[in-house]
Amino acid sequence: QKNNLMFSLVRSRFHLTHKGVRRSSTQSFDAICKTFQNRLPAFPVDPTRLTVERGPRKFYDGLIEGIKKAETRVTLSSLYLGTEPLCIELRDVLLSSLQQKPELQVTILIDALRGGRRAKDGTPASSVELLAPLVQQFGDRAKVFLYHTPDLSGFLKKALPPRVNEVIGVQHIKAYIFDDDIIMSGANLQDQYFTDRQDRYLHARVCPDLVSYYSNLVGVISELSFHLNSNGDVVFPEGLPRPDVQPDLWKSQARSKLLTFLENEKAATLTSTEQVPSSTWIFPTVQAGPLGIMQDSDITKHILDVYPNGALPDMTLTSPYFNLTSEYQKSLLDTHTKISESSSHEKDIPGTKIIVAAPSASGFYGSKGLSYWIPALYSKSLQNFVSRVTALFANKKTNITFLEYDRKHWTFHAKGLWLFGKSEDVMLTLIGSPNLSNRSVYKDLESQFLLVTRDPALIHQFQKEREEIMSDGKTPNASSWTEKDRQLPFHVSTLYNLIGKKIHVILIK
């Protein structure tokens, strides 16, 4: 009932006027915004306060600058914090800011499994060890929380070794807060993400309501998580069910708390933003598959079902790990089937571009153990989908194209989608942590911005972002699938053919 309440359609009046914009595009913009206002918390944003950052170094510089300038709060939510030199520098800047600013509060949320995984060499050996000095020196003003999936408990937790156990589920939200500023991204806090790994980053400045929403979201998750104490130990609050000991009870309490938060935020913004004129809106989404909270995947499916065949026909979808859920694949292909059947001329068919990582641009390329084959497995997944598209539209008109990001010495981690109107005067984008995959939907804790705008300057920023990513893309062809780094040994190929499509179900259960 609570889940239904969160998505219940509540009528809200929303009228915008914008000099110089055609009535038709204004109506499309209004209709799109009203749809999401009825489903999600809604935040009107001044587009001049939004910057689409380009490049990992800009991302890192933004983090360091944000920490140095923050006076009251720094909140970092990430999968983990690496232990390389730039990460140590970031930690040291946090220590320095805490020393210099007595009013500053620092909150860090990472995943318990990934954050506690120890490197074979190096000092510090883990995120926990790196962050321990914050709590030891400023325990009253520096808090480190570690989310633990409830799907890893009992025998399974004892049986699965570090790194392998992370496939069960992780805290995957990447949101970085400095006072009333926030950077939303898919990038983790690790040196590769600061130097040569392509991702996406949206920097929102002086957006207090939006930032408070994310600060409070992190607060709710932190209450349900382990924390790091002044002795450097990871402990769980007394009197509460542990996710790895009493997973069902923990799930029940966690679901109730998170749903209450989402419902309250939705109701509050619905009232406060009624009839507020704005050219740009941000609607945050949350996904917690283990808790049955499917906000992000429901919204993503709605977007794929509706807008490519309507107000926003120019769509580009990107994921570093091509493993679209069956629901997303069906929505995408059903939508293009309708477009094909209703279009009399090929030039009228909207285009959809899908950008993925080439094997050499995968973060797993050249890794050791079974993960060595992950790039080839994702390539196989892409090949199968390309074949499916080719067969489905063999005698029909369609315009689905594929690109593989392939920049020398760089890896690819960008995710989300862009949709532009026919006249490029309205656009929608999803930017954040979800990979559009089964694990994002069913296993991990995720969040992202759904942004809708008709501001020309902001639209241009997102166009440039997409163009720059696409400029390093190459179209795979028949000979691509025969390349050496896409070949699978017999035992891996056999396993994939037997259970590849059902592997996410097996891991969930």
Side-chain angles (χ1 to χ4, degrees), residues 12-57:
S12 68
R13 298 178 62 191
F14 180 72
H15 302 287
L16 296 176
T17 57
H18 186 70
K19 186 177 180 180
V21 178
R22 294 190 303 276
R23 181 175 178 81
S24 60
S25 64
T26 301
Q27 290 174 336
S28 296
F29 177 79
D30 288 0
I32 294 168
C33 291
K34 186 176 291 186
T35 295
F36 298 122
Q37 283 176 321
N38 288 335
R39 297 188 176 199
L40 299 167
F43 297 93
V45 178
D46 180 348
T48 64
R49 296 176 180 174
L50 301 178
T51 303
V52 181
E53 303 289 6
R54 297 195 184 94
R57 191 69 208 192

Side-chain angles (χ1 to χ4, degrees), residues 54-68:
R54 297 195 184 94
R57 191 69 208 192
K58 283 279 189 180
F59 170 54
Y60 184 71
D61 290 344
L63 293 171
I64 296 299
E65 179 185 19
I67 294 170
K68 288 181 176 179

Side-chain angles (χ1 to χ4, degrees), residues 170-239:
V170 295
Q171 193 299 115
H172 204 240
I173 298 171
K174 288 72 178 280
Y176 308 109
I177 293 170
F178 319 99
D179 288 343
D180 289 335
D181 298 356
I182 182 170
I183 299 175
M184 177 58 72
S185 181
N188 292 303
L189 301 178
Q190 190 258 356
D191 275 25
Q192 270 197 308
Y193 294 90
F194 304 149
T195 54
D196 54 12
R197 178 164 290 180
Q198 177 67 55
D199 216 301
R200 300 180 66 205
Y201 331 87
L202 182 63
H203 199 155
R205 295 177 173 86
V206 195
C207 298
D209 293 338
L210 175 65
V211 174
S212 291
Y213 170 89
Y214 270 95
S215 179
N216 293 335
L217 173 62
V218 170
V220 171
I221 298 169
S222 297
E223 291 176 2
L224 301 162
S225 301
F226 288 83
H227 67 269
L228 185 62
N229 68 17
S230 58
N231 295 324
D233 299 322
V234 176
V235 297
F236 200 80
E238 293 184 7

